[in-house]
Structure formats: structure tokens, C-alpha cells
Amino acid sequence: MTGKTVLVTGATGGIGLETARALARMGARVVVGARDASRGRAVVEEIAHGGGSAELLEIDMASFASVHKAAERLAAGHPKVDVLVNNAGVVVRERRPTGDGHELTWQTNFLSHFLLTRLLLPALKASPKPRVVNVASEAHRSGRLDWGDLELARGYRGYHAYCNSKLAQILFTRELAHREPAVAVNALHPGAIATGIWRAAPSFARWILDRVLPPPEKGAQPVVRLATDPDLDGVTGRYFDKLREAAPAEAALNDADAVRLWNIAEEATA
């Protein structure tokens, strides 16, 4: 990975942080995507202290304006981006609208990564072997997209919103692979991992999860593999359950739904 530029969103904690650390150790120039600038600078300093190369990119996935600005800054400094890891994600218990008028989980986990990826396509295609890694989840199997209420304005449940956003990520992965064959794009389930994404759970549940789930280092391993493994050159449009390729849910294989969702996301982020 020496000499390659990699952007990791949500890189200040959990799987994103461990992914950034691992890629820096492999010689990559890691762009630390961070909503909290102070936490992002701390990660950059830590990587630099360890002999790695990193820089901060402030980006708030709950704001389309922030995504646009971040993409512009990144492309200005790096006309070639070799790997994009779409990792940032949230789970919330109550429905929250963003400043753009979208449900927070839907925008953070799906719409903003859709937008960021499309904005960075010129820089990605300047790389000889570009890759996009979408961190999804086995939770997508419980996703059910209601085309009349994609953002769950009625009967909101936080986990259902999360499942739907992960199903959307996999549909996006497959459609992007179809539209951009020069870019290897794959989605994965990193495993059930003890990370900050469970912060919305009740305190007793968080206490249990922190003690029974594997640490973020474990979850970063399949992400790093999809970003770096030469055996995966040219592999695109696939879904991986940790380190092995797997068949996603039937709903994630619906080509017509993938096109329909793409068009909706394109209009939402225009």
C-alpha cells in the first residue's frame, strides 16, 4: 500500500480507527475522515508518531454541504484516490431529522456515502486499481424498504432504520459496480463488534456488549482485506461476511430496486 491514498470515514473510533491504523502500518497515506476535528487530529498525530502518514479531513456525514466541501478539499490535494472506505455509521433510538431534512440514520449511513463516492469518482478512476469498501452489516437481512416511506416518517424504530440503511448500502454497491466497472466496489459485514455504534443502546446492554463482543481490531481485518488483498483485484459487486464471500439477502439482489434506489438517492443528493 506504499504510496497509495486511502480515505476512511468515521476513522476516529471503532472499526474505522483500527482500519486507519492498519493501513498506515502498511504504508498507505491515510486520510482520516472525522466529524470531530480534535479527535481526528489526535488520530493523525498518533499515526505520525508511529511512523505512518496521515492527514485530517473534516467531514460530517449528516450534512451534504460538509460532504461536498470535504470532497473538494480531498480532490484538490489528492487528484488520485486509491481506496475509499465508507465506514461511518450511526444507530439512534428516536427519529432525528438532519439539517438537509432527511432521517439521520438514512443520511449518515447511506445518502452521504452515496454522495461522497460519486463526488470522488474522478479521483478514484485516476487510480490504476481503485477500490470502494462499503461497511454494511448482516442486519441488512432484516431490512424492508417501504418505497412510500423510505425514511420512516411513520412508525419509526431505530434498529429498523439501521437495517434499511445497510440494505441500501448493498443495493448501492451492486448498482455502482454495474455503472462503474473500472472501480472495484464491495460490501461487507465486519462481524458483531464492540464499537461506539451501540451507544444508543440502554446502558446495561452496552455493558454486556462491551464484554461479549470482539474488539474493533477484529472487525477491521475484513475491511483491510477488501481494501488491499491483491487476490481481490477485479472482484466487484460482491458481499462478504467477514473474510468470506457470501450471498446477501434476496432483497439485496433485486436489480430493479437497486436502480430505483439509485435514482432516489441521486435526486435526494442533487
Side-chain angles (χ1 to χ4, degrees):
M1 293 297 287
T2 301
K4 292 189 175 183
T5 299
V6 181
L7 168 60
V8 182
T9 66
T12 59
I15 291 172
L17 173 58
E18 295 303 331
T19 296
R21 287 170 171 165
L23 292 171
R25 288 194 296 268
M26 298 172 75
R29 173 73 176 179
V30 177
V31 181
V32 176
R35 178 174 56 87
D36 186 320
S38 61
R39 292 180 64 192
R41 282 191 290 270
V43 175
V44 170
E45 291 170 4
E46 176 202 310
I47 290 174
H49 184 71
S53 176
E55 64 185 75
L56 172 65
L57 182 69
E58 292 185 50
I59 182 169
D60 181 356
M61 305 307 288
S63 165
F64 292 150
S66 177
V67 173
H68 272 281
K69 290 177 182 177
E72 291 171 4
R73 290 196 301 270
L74 181 63
H78 299 280
K80 176 177 71 70
V81 174
D82 299 282
V83 182
L84 168 61
V85 179
N86 288 321
N87 164 77
V90 297
V91 183
V92 295
R93 298 173 69 178
E94 297 178 354
R95 192 179 193 279
R96 302 182 198 171
T98 68
D100 297 303
H102 296 281
E103 190 273 320
L104 178 64
T105 303
W106 185 251
Q107 179 164 342
T108 300
N109 296 5
F110 169 55
L111 287 178
S112 283
H113 282 120
F114 174 92
L115 175 61
L116 178 64
T117 303
R118 295 189 68 224
L119 291 172
L120 292 180
L121 278 175
L124 285 162
K125 290 194 284 188
S127 170
K129 295 180 180 180
R131 297 188 183 191
V132 175
V133 180
N134 290 326
V135 181
S137 171
E138 275 288 276
H140 84 275
R141 297 185 187 279
S142 298
R144 299 290 184 271
L145 299 181
D146 178 351
W147 297 104
D149 187 21
L150 280 175
E151 302 190 27
L152 303 179
R154 302 180 299 274
Y156 184 85
R157 288 177 288 121
Y159 184 66
H160 183 44
Y162 176 76
C163 294
N164 284 359
S165 72
K166 295 304 178 179
L167 174 57
Q169 280 185 313
I170 300 174
L171 288 166
F172 166 53
T173 297
R174 297 182 63 254
E175 183 62 17
L176 179 61
H178 173 72
R179 293 178 183 237
E180 299 290 346
V183 180
V185 52
N186 295 289
L188 82 151
H189 167 60
I193 303 296
T195 72
I197 200 167
W198 304 111
R199 66 178 64 90
S203 58
F204 74 90
R206 292 198 306 271
W207 186 88
I208 294 172
L209 291 171
D210 286 343
R211 283 155 180 79
V212 301
L213 294 181
E217 296 91 328
K218 185 82 169 178
Q221 290 175 6
V223 181
V224 172
R225 176 172 178 260
L226 285 187
T228 66
D229 191 341
D231 289 342
L232 296 176
D233 283 348
V235 174
T236 189
R238 311 289 180 82
Y239 174 72
F240 291 79
D241 184 350
K242 297 183 280 292
L243 296 172
R244 295 185 178 183
E245 185 176 345
E250 186 175 346
L253 297 173
N254 189 311
D255 292 338
D257 282 356
V259 172
R260 186 177 186 179
L261 183 65
W262 179 286
N263 292 336
I264 290 170
E266 194 171 50
E267 181 177 355
T269 60

